Every structure is written in structure tokens, then in C-alpha cells.
Amino acid sequence: MKPPAGLSWSSLGSLVATAVVVRAALQEVLPPEAHGALRALLSRAAAVFAHPTDTVVVHEADANGVPNELYEAAQLYLGAHCLATAPALHLHKPHGVPEPVASLPDDHVAHDTFRGVCVAWRSQRVDQVSAAFSPFGGSRGFGAPGGFGLGGRQQWCLRLEFPRRHRDVVRGAYVAHVLAEAEALRLKMRERKLYTNNPGMYCGGVGVMDDHRMLWSSHAFSHPSTFDTLAIDPALRDGIRDDLLRFVRRRDHYARAGRAWKRGYLLHGPPGTGKTSLIAAIANLLEFDIYDLELTAVGSNSDLRGLLVSTRPKSLIVVEDIDCSLGLFDRTEKLSSSPLSQDADQSEEDQGFPPHGRRERISLSGVLNFVDGLWSSCVGERLIVFTTNHVDRLDPALLRPGRMDCKIELGYCKGHALRVLANNYLGLADNDDDCEPADNDRGRYEELMGEAERLLDEVHLTPADVAEVFMGCDGDGAHAALQKLVDDLNTKRLAHKCAVSKAGDV
């Protein structure tokens, strides 16, 4: 047997003897309590050489101060999944978010496990000017807690440490997992908005974020309408819900088919049949924002395109009463003959346009391109919803598949809608045995309900009309409200018969 290369038997013996002497000296010098700590330290050092680790450094921003989305996503992910038992954490409550958001403090470590791989996240400061973390795009910044002054040159970073043999899993699947989970958390915690376009504004080419703030004003969206409270036919309601849920799951399908990830809905029917309530229920079901587009406030086709590309994903773009907002003239006619044509005698300043050059008003062709043109593919995961009381007035080109994919007619109140409204306003759940009328006279309730249902087959009454009757009887009891509805229906039926009789006599 030969000694290791570069060593002789004599030198190897000297090395072993030295190790024995050092070991004996340490045992005599160090207290017994330190022996275990020393052995653990040496074991960890040996493990590092036996199982080397890799490190991924995630800075919060680059050298130009542009925020790093991965850093923000990682902090949001760690706050939701890895800091439940942490001895210390940062808490931040953004405006409009119901609960505080946790993040990893400086010089602390959080551990996570993914597909059996243990990883460690370590928060540190490094020398670099930047804004600090906020899961919603804000920053600690100057003067804020944990921020820095004008002369500061530090920023935060996260060090992701993991076994080198699992490099592909961590850099690929785990990082993608963190980004996806963080995006889901943002959507869950965000405050949904109702946007409306600002009149007289147009894109100035200063960036998407600035364009959005300039073109749209917003308010917090909070509407109680759900699919369970909609007074429409149950088969129609379930079909709409299934279609919506199928749409949001089929991103890859739209990409394979070569189509923009959007869908158009046309809601039509008499006033008061629940078109606006359905829009709110759709937004609540999908957790989408709403962009209420007022076409009469849009100056030109190019401005309309600017509004389109400034909208964000996961949103409904709504144009209510489109037959009133847009002159649906024949596209072969001259623009000057259109109701939307600019009056030659009206000054540009009066219309909110800049004085350099005359601008055309929007045309039907511009709206068609808005719905289904090249610009419509710029932002994905959107629904375009038009409403009208008179579908027969709309140009057929607007109604073809690809523009309005789903046409939904909302009609007058019938039996099922009446029972939904009774549940909403009177607290009478038709399928709940524990929810009885106030006087427990179920037979009388069913008698009045049946009579009202029969009358609704003869008399046209919208869900809004029925709701108004129930609202007017608030506090009078369920029987009084149903009796009032039956009386009103009988009155309307008699009035209709008299009108028909007089028309026949003439």
C-alpha cells in the first residue's frame, strides 16, 4: 500500500501524530460543553464539501432602480407560506387590502420545501441604490420605515440557497411556482376597481402606466350581485356561468387556435331585466375589474384604440346602451352624414381636443376594429360586454361571431325569477325547509306565489318592477308583499284587456 500522492510514510505519520496531540490539547483546554458544538461544526463543514449548495441572489431592483418582479413575488410568497412560525417578520397594509401583508425581515432566514427539496431564503442588504419592497408596487423609499435617505446606497436582496444536485428543479419549477403563487395572492388581495374613461383625454405616448392613469378614473368596486341572486331562468344562468368559467381556463386553447384571449357578450332585452346586475355578477364570479366605456366621450378611432390597449387583463370592458351611444349608420355613408360626425361649426376647443388639426369622431368601423381588430389582441383575458334595449337597431356586422360570441336575451319576470326575488327581498328560500314565512302559513304562501306566477304569464312585468313592489312592502311581511304584487298584476291585466277591447271597437 502506498501513501497518498505527495506524502511519504514519515510525513503522514507526523501529520497523524500532530492531529492526536491537537485533539488531546483541545480536550484539556475546552470545557466539555464545547466538545459537542465543535463536533457539530466540523460535521456541517464536512457536509458542505460532501453536498455542495448553490445560491441564487435576487435583488429587489436593477442598477437603474427598476423593480425586480421576482423579488416582490418571493417576498409575497414567503409572507403567505413560510412565515407562519417566524420569530420576526415585516407587516405592511396596502390601501384597500383587508389584511396586512407579511414579508421576510432583514438578516433573517425562512425555509421552504418543494417536491421534497429543502430550500432556504435569506434576506440581506447590499450596496446599491434602489426603492424597497412592496408587493403592490410601492416602496419604503425616502423617509419611510426601513427606507433610506438621499445619500443611502443600500438595497435589499434575497439569497435562495439549495443543494446543487437539485439545481434544475429549483431554478426551473420552483421559481415558476413562486411567481404563479404570488400572482394568485395579488389577485386575491387586490381591491377591484370600476373604471370610467376621462372625457377629452387621449394617449400621449408616455407609457402604459401613465396612459392608464391619464385615460381612466377609478373607484372601488363593491356590488352585491351574484349568480345566486340573479332573477333569470336557471338554465340560462347556469349556461352563462359555465361559459365564463370555461373561458378563463382556456388560455392555452385560444393560443393554439390562433385567437386573442377575449370573448364578447351582447346582453339585450327590455329595460329593468337585469343586464347591469348580470355584469356585476360576472365581475364578482371571475374577480375582474370593470371598465365602463362611455363612447360619447371618445374623440376618435385612434383614441378608442388607446383606451383599449391601456386596459389591463382580468377585466370587463362594458359599453351600456350601445344603440344610444353610437350612431349605427351604414358604413358606406360619408362620415359627415353620421350622428357621430363632428359638427363643422363646433370648435375643437369645445370638444376637448387640442387645437392642432381637426379630429374625426369615432365610427362604426372603429368600434368593429376595437372589438375584433388587430388591436384587440394587445391585452388578453378580457370580456367585452355590450348592452342594448333594441337589438334590432344594431348593425349585423357588430353581432357576428368573433365580435359578439354569446348573445343573451333577458326577458320579463317569470316563475323562477319571481321566487328568486322573493328569496332576495322577503327572505323566502323556496328550497329551504327551515326558512318559512313569518306566520308559518306555507299553504297561503304557495297559493299567492302560484297566483302571481300565473298572472306573470299574461302580464309583462320586469324583475325591476317586481323588486320595486317588494321594496315598497319592506316590513309588512311576506304575505302582504305577495298580495300587493297579485293586486298590481290584476290591475295591469284588466287595464290591458280594456285597451285591447277599445282598440277592437275602433
Side-chain angles (χ1 to χ4, degrees):
M1 179 179 178
K2 295 183 178 181
L7 291 177
S8 63
W9 283 112
S10 58
S11 59
L12 183 61
S14 300
L15 183 61
V16 172
T18 302
V20 171
V21 172
V22 170
R23 180 176 180 273
L26 289 176
Q27 287 180 341
E28 293 180 1
V29 174
L30 295 178
E33 295 81 3
H35 294 170
L38 180 60
R39 282 194 295 269
L41 179 62
L42 293 175
S43 298
R44 284 197 296 269
V48 168
F49 288 103
H51 304 287
T53 61
D54 276 4
T55 301
V56 173
V57 180
V58 182
H59 292 279
E60 63 167 341
D62 63 15
N64 296 321
V66 178
N68 184 351
E69 292 185 9
L70 179 56
Y71 179 88
E72 298 179 357
Q75 283 283 26
L76 192 58
Y77 172 84
L78 292 173
H81 297 285
C82 305
L83 301 181
T85 59
L89 51 81
H90 273 310
L91 283 180
H92 170 62
K93 187 181 183 304
H95 176 72
V97 176
E99 298 179 358
V101 179
S103 59
L104 186 64
D106 307 328
D107 301 320
H108 282 73
V109 179
H111 298 275
D112 192 21
T113 302
F114 178 76
R115 296 183 183 177
V117 180
C118 295
V119 301
W121 291 89
R122 189 182 306 275
S123 177
Q124 292 182 341
R125 295 191 186 189
V126 293
D127 293 335
Q128 178 67 42
V129 176
S130 173
F133 160 73
S134 168
F136 296 87
S139 65
R140 293 174 185 155
F142 177 75
F148 44 84
L150 293 175
R153 294 190 59 81
Q154 284 190 327
Q155 74 160 336
W156 285 258
C157 76
L158 291 171
R159 296 174 63 88
L160 174 59
E161 300 171 354
F162 52 90
R164 181 172 296 171
R165 64 183 182 274
H166 298 301
R167 176 186 297 172
D168 293 340
V169 174
V170 174
R171 291 188 182 181
Y174 180 65
V175 171
H177 168 72
V178 170
L179 290 170
E181 287 291 313
E183 181 63 22
L185 288 167
R186 285 194 188 97
L187 293 175
K188 183 178 179 180
M189 294 186 299
R190 72 187 176 116
E191 181 183 42
R192 290 190 294 128
K193 297 288 189 178
L194 172 62
Y195 296 94
T196 185
N197 52 307
N198 295 320
M201 302 301 294
Y202 58 95
C203 286
V206 293
V208 174
M209 181 62 70
D210 291 335
D211 281 350
H212 189 276
R213 292 174 178 173
M214 180 176 65
L215 295 172
W216 301 96
S217 58
S218 67
H219 301 276
F221 176 73
S222 178
H223 196 290
S225 179
T226 67
F227 271 78
D228 292 332
T229 62
L230 289 177
I232 61 177
D233 179 76
L236 176 62
R237 177 199 62 201
D238 295 342
I240 297 171
R241 179 162 45 197
D242 293 343
D243 186 77
L244 291 166
L245 296 177
R246 183 168 56 250
F247 166 77
V248 297
R249 293 193 302 262
R250 303 183 78 188
R251 177 177 186 172
D252 294 338
H253 173 78
Y254 277 80
R256 287 194 303 269
R259 295 187 58 178
W261 192 19
K262 65 177 182 63
R263 191 158 177 81
Y265 288 83
L266 176 68
L267 311 183
H268 62 97
T273 51
K275 294 184 286 293
T276 301
S277 296
L278 177 55
I279 291 172
I282 292 173
N284 288 331
L285 174 69
L286 303 181
E287 297 185 341
F288 277 17
D289 293 327
I290 295 180
Y291 287 85
D292 184 16
L293 178 59
E294 178 56 57
L295 288 180
T296 58
V298 182
S300 68
N301 292 336
S302 61
D303 291 348
L304 186 61
R305 290 193 296 269
L307 287 166
L308 173 67
V309 299
S310 68
T311 59
R312 294 165 177 165
K314 294 187 178 296
S315 62
L316 279 79
I317 302 176
V318 178
V319 181
E320 294 194 273
D321 298 319
I322 188 171
D323 55 306
C324 300
S325 301
L326 180 65
L328 300 177
F329 51 92
D330 192 318
R331 284 171 291 170
T332 60
E333 296 180 9
K334 293 183 178 180
L335 188 62
S336 59
S337 65
S338 165
L340 287 181
S341 298
Q342 180 174 315
D343 190 346
D345 297 331
Q346 186 178 11
S347 68
E348 292 170 346
E349 290 80 359
D350 292 340
Q351 298 189 42
F353 296 138
H356 52 82
R358 182 167 297 277
R359 298 162 61 90
E360 295 179 346
R361 302 303 299 269
I362 57 173
S363 64
L364 176 60
S365 176
V367 174
L368 297 179
N369 289 326
F370 167 84
V371 176
D372 193 35
L374 290 175
W375 289 89
S376 67
S377 62
C378 294
V379 182
E381 199 172 4
R382 287 175 311 172
L383 300 175
I384 300 176
V385 182
F386 290 167
T387 72
T388 179
N389 298 332
H390 307 283
V391 67
D392 55 302
R393 297 181 183 177
L394 299 179
D395 191 290
L398 189 64
L399 306 180
R400 73 162 177 81
R403 289 176 178 146
M404 293 294 104
D405 303 288
C406 190
K407 304 171 186 65
I408 302 170
E409 181 179 6
L410 300 177
Y412 292 103
C413 186
K414 299 299 179 183
H416 176 79
L418 174 61
R419 292 181 179 270
V420 172
L421 291 170
N423 181 35
N424 294 345
Y425 290 92
L426 307 179
L428 301 178
D430 186 56
N431 58 351
D432 189 352
D433 295 335
D434 296 331
C435 185
E436 297 289 340
D439 57 2
N440 293 320
D441 187 1
R442 191 73 182 185
R444 178 58 179 161
Y445 160 73
E446 288 294 344
E447 180 183 347
L448 288 171
M449 184 65 73
E451 186 175 357
E453 289 175 349
R454 288 190 295 272
L455 289 169
L456 284 173
D457 290 334
E458 303 179 36
V459 179
H460 289 328
L461 212 62
T462 66
D465 295 329
V466 176
E468 187 63 28
V469 173
F470 288 162
M471 286 289 289
C473 298
D474 186 29
D476 296 337
H479 284 181
L482 287 172
Q483 186 63 60
K484 177 67 166 57
L485 176 63
V486 169
D487 293 342
D488 287 355
L489 288 170
N490 279 317
T491 301
K492 290 180 180 295
R493 184 181 64 169
L494 291 175
H496 177 69
K497 286 184 176 181
C498 290
V500 172
S501 177
K502 290 181 179 179
D505 293 341
V506 173

